[in-house]
Amino acid sequence: MIFQLTHEPIAAELTATPADGALAVFVGVVRNNHQGRAVSFLEYEAYGDLALSEGAAILREAEEVFPLTQTRCVHRLGRLEIGEASIVVEVTSGHRGEAFAACRYIVDEVKARVPIWKKEHFVEGDAEWVNSESEPSDSKRVLLSEILRHWSGWESDDLKAFQIVDVREPYERPQVLQSPGDRTLHIPYSEINQHLARFAQGDPYLLVCDSGTRAKVLARDLQSKGFGNVFALSVGFRDL
């Protein structure tokens, strides 16, 4: 089982063992367009330690679900030119069906769960983080208790015990978040390890983000560090 992040070019490397009947490989490459705009190059950034631990967890899950003999996933970081490989996923198995299914599982889970961000650089000279929201023309203040009532049926009284932590990056905050009593902490996901002292073990925290994915990954990471009462909202601001 191998999960790696690298700034160097990547390629497939696994070879099948004598017991294998299938070797499945997926290679994601940089294309020259995004939503109808011409792209000149990409940049990838990652929350290193957490990305590595979550990527390894995904490979372990794949090996538990599918009868695999080898798994490997490598993701590029830094600047990538058009046509370069951004991710390589390889698995070996006794049969092609399991190999194909496992390869897709790993690709989909890495895309959904591993904290890696992509920045598109366009030929016109501007750039944007993929999936970041633009500033609305009529910027509105959003009361978190109303969001949570809309999402999950909770009433605001149910939130009074929680410290709300908004882990979105600054560029993702077109909305100004409020919680009951204005107690929201704004700690960017990429800086969380620098602010662990702001978390008290035993206190209840509710993490929120743009989609719910990073909040869930971060909640698991904080729980592994001894913060047992950390929870994540499974949906995010983009669902409003």
Side-chain angles (χ1 to χ4, degrees), residues 61-120:
E61 292 169 10
E63 292 180 350
E64 291 172 359
V65 173
F66 304 98
L68 306 175
T69 56
Q70 300 175 92
T71 56
R72 177 176 180 262
C73 177
V74 184
H75 203 295
R76 279 287 304 275
L77 299 178
R79 175 170 172 151
L80 278 73
E81 305 299 333
I82 304 302
E84 284 195 277
S86 59
I87 182 173
V88 171
V89 176
E90 304 170 86
V91 302
T92 57
S93 180
H95 303 281
R96 66 180 183 275
E98 288 86 350
F100 282 135
C103 194
R104 176 157 191 167
Y105 174 85
I106 293 169
V107 173
D108 290 346
E109 291 299 302
V110 167
K111 182 177 177 63
R113 293 163 48 186
V114 176
I116 297 173
W117 300 279
K118 178 172 67 174
K119 192 174 188 178
E120 304 269 5

Side-chain angles (χ1 to χ4, degrees), residues 93-181:
S93 180
H95 303 281
R96 66 180 183 275
E98 288 86 350
F100 282 135
C103 194
R104 176 157 191 167
Y105 174 85
I106 293 169
V107 173
D108 290 346
E109 291 299 302
V110 167
K111 182 177 177 63
R113 293 163 48 186
V114 176
I116 297 173
W117 300 279
K118 178 172 67 174
K119 192 174 188 178
E120 304 269 5
H121 289 261
F122 301 106
V123 296
E124 294 88 352
D126 60 322
E128 69 177 27
W129 292 98
V130 173
N131 296 328
S132 63
E133 298 182 9
S134 59
E135 182 74 23
S137 57
D138 182 17
S139 183
K140 59 181 180 179
R141 297 181 66 82
V142 179
L143 182 64
L144 184 58
S145 60
E146 294 297 324
I147 294 173
L148 293 176
R149 185 181 295 113
H150 171 73
W151 281 339
S152 60
W154 290 2
E155 296 297 328
S156 58
D157 285 348
D158 296 316
L159 298 176
K160 291 180 179 178
F162 286 93
Q163 169 65 68
I164 309 301
V165 184
D166 180 0
V167 301
R168 291 178 298 166
E169 301 297 325
Y171 63 82
E172 295 179 291
R173 295 180 189 160
Q175 300 156 317
V176 179
L177 179 64
Q178 289 179 290
S179 69

Side-chain angles (χ1 to χ4, degrees), residues 177-223:
L177 179 64
Q178 289 179 290
S179 69
D182 289 322
R183 295 174 53 246
T184 301
L185 292 178
H186 297 277
I187 305 177
Y189 183 92
S190 60
E191 301 175 9
I192 202 74
N193 280 336
Q194 303 170 33
H195 297 277
L196 290 180
R198 300 175 70 178
F199 291 86
Q201 292 190 359
D203 287 358
Y205 296 91
L206 181 65
L207 310 185
V208 296
C209 67
D210 188 51
S211 67
T213 299
R214 282 170 291 174
K216 288 185 285 187
V217 170
L218 187 54
R220 286 197 295 269
D221 183 57
L222 289 172
Q223 289 166 4

Side-chain angles (χ1 to χ4, degrees), residues 1-5 48-62 71 73 106 109-110 113-116 217:
M1 181 183 72
I2 299 171
F3 184 88
Q4 296 174 324
L5 303 173
D49 291 342
L50 188 53
L52 290 171
S53 63
E54 190 66 15
I58 291 169
L59 296 189
R60 284 194 297 271
E61 292 169 10
T71 56
C73 177
I106 293 169
E109 291 299 302
V110 167
R113 293 163 48 186
V114 176
I116 297 173
V217 170

